[in-house]
Amino acid sequence: MADAAGPGTGPGVAGGDGDDSLYPIAVLIDELRNEDVQLRLNSIKKLSTIALALGVERTRTELLPFLTDTIYDEDEVLLALAEQLGSFTGLVGGPDFAHCLLTPSGNCHLGQETLAVLQKSCLQPPLESLATVEETVVRDKAVESLRQISQEHTPVALEAHFVPLVKRLASGDWFTSRTSACGLFSVCYPRASNAVKAEIRQYFRSLCSDDTPMVRRAAASKLGEFAKVLELDSVKSEIVPLFTNLASDEQDSVRLLAVEACVSIAQLLSQDDLEVLVMPTLRQAVEDKSWRVRYMVADKFSELQKAVGPKITLNDLIPAFQNLLKDCEAEVRAAAAHKVKELCENLPIEGRETVIMNQILPYIKELVSDTNQHVKSALASVIMGLSTILGKENTVEHLLPLFLAQLKDECPEVRLNIISNLDCVNEVIGICQLSQSLLPAIVELAEDAKWRVRLAIIEYMPLLAGQLGVEFFDEKLNSLCMAWLVDHVYAIREAATNNLMKLVQKFGIEWAQNTIVPKVLIMANDPNYLHRMTTLFCINALSEACGQEITTKQMLPIVLKMAGDQVANVRFNVAKSLQKIGPILDTDALQEEVKPVLQKLGQDEDMDVKYFAQEAISVLALA
């Protein structure tokens, strides 16, 4: 669009007539006005390059005013603009000119004509405008950029330019600007003067009691962050009352965010102040009528536990945790179950075992047979970790029965979560106890009707093998690994092949030569062509681990023999296998044995066989 122009006379005209240096900005104008969103987006993403080409003064006087006119656009373009402007301080002349990105009055280098256009159009500078748009992700990105720019202001410039912007946003007519303001208080407060700090706190208090729930939500989400930069007296006198009010808000979406703020506030207060100022509100949240609030308490439980300390944990949080573990809503029970291990680990070592056995374990036993599979799965993902905390005797007597019950659970995810953490138990009770108690259940899972369960067992087999040792593995689990190679599901056969390679890496070449390779090679004569192909896949995987001698003497003859297979799929996989194992073989074997076979396959009647054979010849340089 050759006739495109910026606000007023347009930035492209401001530099003079026919100046080649205007070309970048002219391209920008043209693309920003283009109907194609992707072109506009690409142009925005090149802003830093264009700003460098223009220089800092022209960026301030021409580019920024022009960008002010682009704020009414697709959300995707606005998002990119908001992100770009966050790193623009250096491009407008450094910290001394950072305010040019914020306020019209700060743009002291603007020409009178451009400034008049800005005022006439009632346009705000880009980031302030972007912080007020309807689309949440754009506002969030604008706030993120504003936070970044605030750090580059001097304290004087901060009070002169940034704080007024925050005040304007905080007192805006639309809730969008007020929600954005909530994210800016904490970055400007620490460097403000005492008088301005008082104003900032007053604005924040107003937003915490705003009529619009979305604003109160935004304020609640930033309450903890704001508390961290305040003086302790202000936290007690102003933040705690705000926290109490927000935690009692009529909207549960506000109350649950107050729970999150509770962690930050608790870290700032003494034990005595905590008991008086915070705990009554937290107790109220544990019994909140909304499950979403109780869920948030459960989700933040470990952080709350660390924040309030061991004494309050034992007196208040343990009973609260018990209530969450038996909550009527499954989502809450699941969130609490996820925190069981962390809670127990964070308890004071002295007396920890007694607390767990008497006050936590009875509730855990109930969750093992919970009606909801997500609850049982959440527990199964962490319960094994209790064995290292409770020791061998308690694990064998109290935890093993729970593990066995979960290994037989009808939900596959529960069983898999137990298996994936077996190493925790092995460290505590030893391999003998583990194998006697859990191996039957593992074998049962290895033959499960659901292929995803079998797949997960295969993935954990190298881990189990390392724990059980080679003798035990050969006796109990080797046959399972071979059976998976002929499974009717391809994903199982593929995983079983990779499993063999990992087992060879763990147990050594001699074990592979005596135990695995002969069994794999027998499959080359299987009547099912899929199983014959699996032989080739295994050879591909094992050749690198087994080395040149075993590959040449034992595997290569089988691969060459299979080149005459009646099924084309097998033949072209022979070509691919020869290409794979070729680099491992010596030159004589390649020239005398591999080359003639590949040349023959290269003349095969099947196009795929011919293609892969010729590719192998090319890769191995046998032409």
Side-chain angles (χ1 to χ4, degrees):
M1 292 186 180
D3 60 344
T9 57
V13 182
D17 47 350
D19 186 354
D20 286 345
S21 65
L22 293 176
Y23 183 69
I25 195 69
V27 173
L28 170 70
I29 297 167
D30 197 40
E31 290 190 354
L32 277 176
R33 297 295 177 83
N34 199 293
E35 292 179 2
D36 187 339
V37 174
Q38 192 57 49
L39 274 178
R40 298 204 300 276
L41 186 61
N42 290 342
S43 182
I44 290 291
K45 289 180 177 178
K46 296 173 187 171
L47 278 182
S48 58
T49 304
I50 293 164
L52 284 170
L54 290 172
V56 294
E57 185 172 346
R58 292 180 65 190
T59 296
R60 292 195 301 269
T61 59
E62 299 174 32
L63 181 57
L64 284 183
F66 174 70
L67 289 176
T68 301
D69 195 29
T70 70
I71 61 170
Y72 308 105
D73 206 328
E74 299 288 338
D75 291 333
E76 193 178 4
V77 177
L78 296 181
L79 181 64
L81 178 58
E83 185 173 11
Q84 288 287 316
L85 290 175
S87 56
F88 239 61
T89 303
L91 299 172
V92 296
D96 290 341
F97 295 95
H99 56 271
C100 293
L101 298 166
L102 306 179
T103 60
S105 61
N107 286 327
C108 52
H109 295 274
L110 285 178
Q112 288 300 314
E113 188 176 356
T114 306
L115 185 57
V117 172
L118 280 172
Q119 293 167 342
K120 183 178 177 182
S121 305
C122 298
L123 294 176
Q124 297 171 301
L127 278 176
E128 186 171 346
S129 297
L130 293 169
T132 66
V133 300
E134 192 172 344
E135 178 55 49
T136 306
V137 291
V138 177
R139 292 202 310 272
D140 289 346
K141 184 58 71 175
V143 169
E144 185 182 320
S145 291
L146 283 168
R147 289 168 65 97
Q148 190 175 333
I149 292 171
S150 74
Q151 303 305 316
E152 295 163 345
H153 279 73
T154 63
V156 174
L158 191 80
E159 287 197 12
H161 303 291
F162 194 84
V163 173
L165 176 143
V166 177
K167 291 178 182 178
R168 285 197 302 276
L169 290 174
S171 55
D173 292 334
W174 291 96
F175 79 89
T176 53
S177 72
R178 303 200 297 277
T179 56
S180 293
C182 295
L184 300 175
F185 290 106
S186 62
V187 293
C188 61
Y189 186 88
R191 292 189 292 152
S193 63
N194 289 336
V196 174
K197 283 182 176 180
E199 283 186 75
I200 293 173
R201 294 198 302 273
Q202 177 57 46
Y203 273 99
F204 190 80
R205 283 199 300 274
S206 298
L207 294 179
C208 286
S209 57
D210 195 276
D211 292 336
T212 308
M214 286 80 85
V215 177
R216 299 201 300 277
R217 272 206 300 272
S221 69
K222 300 298 180 183
L223 184 65
E225 179 185 286
F226 191 45
K228 288 180 180 178
V229 300
L230 261 63
E231 301 77 14
L232 183 58
D233 288 343
S234 296
V235 172
K236 292 181 188 178
S237 62
E238 298 185 44
I239 294 296
V240 170
L242 292 177
F243 162 66
T244 305
N245 290 337
L246 291 169
S248 305
D249 195 273
E250 61 183 22
Q251 297 281 333
D252 62 354
S253 59
V254 176
R255 300 200 299 275
L256 67 86
L257 290 169
V259 171
E260 197 168 349
C262 182
V263 176
S264 299
I265 295 170
Q267 291 170 342
L268 303 171
L269 300 176
S270 66
Q271 289 285 300
D272 292 340
D273 288 334
L274 268 177
E275 188 60 58
V276 175
L277 301 175
V278 173
M279 289 314 298
T281 306
L282 186 56
R283 293 186 198 108
Q284 173 186 313
V286 173
E287 299 174 357
D288 196 278
K289 61 184 178 182
S290 169
W291 71 266
R292 296 171 67 199
V293 177
R294 304 196 301 275
Y295 174 90
M296 182 61 80
V297 176
D299 189 54
K300 299 290 178 184
F301 209 87
S302 299
E303 296 169 51
L304 287 168
Q305 180 187 4
K306 291 176 183 176
V308 301
K311 182 180 177 183
I312 293 178
T313 294
L314 293 175
N315 294 338
D316 282 279
L317 293 195
I318 295 295
F321 194 68
Q322 292 170 342
N323 289 335
L324 294 171
L325 287 173
K326 61 179 183 180
D327 195 275
C328 59
E329 288 291 337
E331 287 87 349
V332 179
R333 298 198 301 277
H338 263 302
K339 301 296 177 181
V340 163
K341 180 187 173 186
E342 286 182 52
L343 171 83
C344 295
E345 283 177 336
N346 294 333
L347 289 171
I349 295 177
E350 187 180 348
R352 177 168 64 182
E353 184 181 321
T354 305
V355 173
I356 296 172
M357 296 301 296
N358 296 336
Q359 300 185 56
I360 303 296
L361 196 60
Y363 294 87
I364 291 176
K365 289 178 178 177
E366 290 182 23
L367 291 185
V368 167
S369 55
D370 196 275
T371 53
N372 185 281
Q373 69 178 44
H374 298 295
V375 176
K376 293 185 290 185
S377 177
L379 181 65
S381 67
V382 297
I383 191 173
M384 305 291 269
L386 295 181
S387 57
T388 54
I389 300 172
L390 292 176
K392 182 174 181 179
E393 188 177 328
N394 285 325
T395 297
V396 172
E397 185 177 349
H398 298 284
L399 294 181
L400 262 183
L402 302 182
F403 300 159
L404 287 170
Q406 289 178 304
L407 272 174
K408 296 174 183 176
D409 194 276
E410 61 183 14
C411 174
E413 194 174 346
V414 174
R415 305 196 294 261
L416 297 182
N417 283 344
I418 289 293
I419 291 163
S420 64
N421 291 289
L422 279 178
D423 52 330
C424 299
V425 183
N426 183 27
E427 291 174 12
V428 177
I429 66 175
I431 194 61
C432 294
Q433 186 82 47
L434 179 66
S435 59
Q436 290 172 16
S437 304
L438 300 181
L439 190 64
I442 292 170
V443 172
E444 187 178 330
L445 285 172
E447 299 169 346
D448 195 277
K450 294 183 177 66
W451 71 269
R452 290 185 188 278
V453 177
R454 302 198 299 278
L455 183 63
I457 288 291
I458 295 172
E459 290 172 352
Y460 289 115
M461 192 55 68
L463 173 67
L464 283 171
Q467 295 171 354
L468 297 168
V470 63
E471 291 181 12
F472 187 92
F473 179 84
D474 283 344
E475 182 183 347
K476 303 288 185 181
L477 297 176
N478 198 329
S479 58
L480 281 177
C481 292
M482 300 310 299
W484 284 324
L485 290 173
V486 293
D487 196 280
H488 65 278
V489 177
Y490 173 75
I492 299 296
R493 299 196 299 274
E494 182 182 38
T497 301
N498 293 329
N499 173 53
L500 288 185
M501 180 178 66
K502 292 174 183 176
L503 290 173
V504 171
Q505 291 170 347
K506 195 169 286 288
F507 290 150
I509 295 175
E510 187 178 343
W511 174 82
Q513 187 175 13
N514 297 331
T515 308
I516 293 297
V517 175
K519 293 179 181 179
V520 167
L521 298 182
I522 288 173
M523 289 169 55
N525 300 315
D526 196 289
N528 188 327
Y529 85 94
L530 293 173
H531 298 167
R532 300 200 296 277
M533 283 170 59
T534 301
T535 300
L536 293 171
F537 300 151
C538 287
I539 288 172
N540 293 345
L542 292 173
S543 58
E544 194 171 335
C546 290
Q548 187 183 80
E549 186 177 350
I550 295 176
T551 301
T552 305
K553 291 183 178 179
Q554 292 184 255
M555 299 185 193
L556 179 60
I558 299 298
V559 178
L560 297 175
K561 180 182 175 183
M562 293 175 73
D565 198 283
Q566 59 184 2
V567 178
N569 281 27
V570 176
R571 295 199 301 277
F572 78 62
N573 273 292
V574 166
K576 291 170 76 173
S577 287
L578 289 173
Q579 180 180 326
K580 170 73 176 174
I581 68 175
I584 300 170
L585 305 173
D586 59 36
T587 307
D588 290 343
L590 277 174
Q591 291 295 331
E592 296 172 13
E593 300 181 65
V594 174
K595 183 176 179 180
V597 171
L598 284 175
Q599 287 176 334
K600 183 179 178 181
L601 291 174
Q603 304 301 317
D604 198 276
E605 59 186 19
D606 187 274
M607 293 298 295
D608 291 330
V609 177
K610 188 184 298 185
Y611 170 79
F612 285 112
Q614 290 171 351
E615 186 181 67
I617 290 172
S618 174
V619 170
L620 296 174
L622 296 175

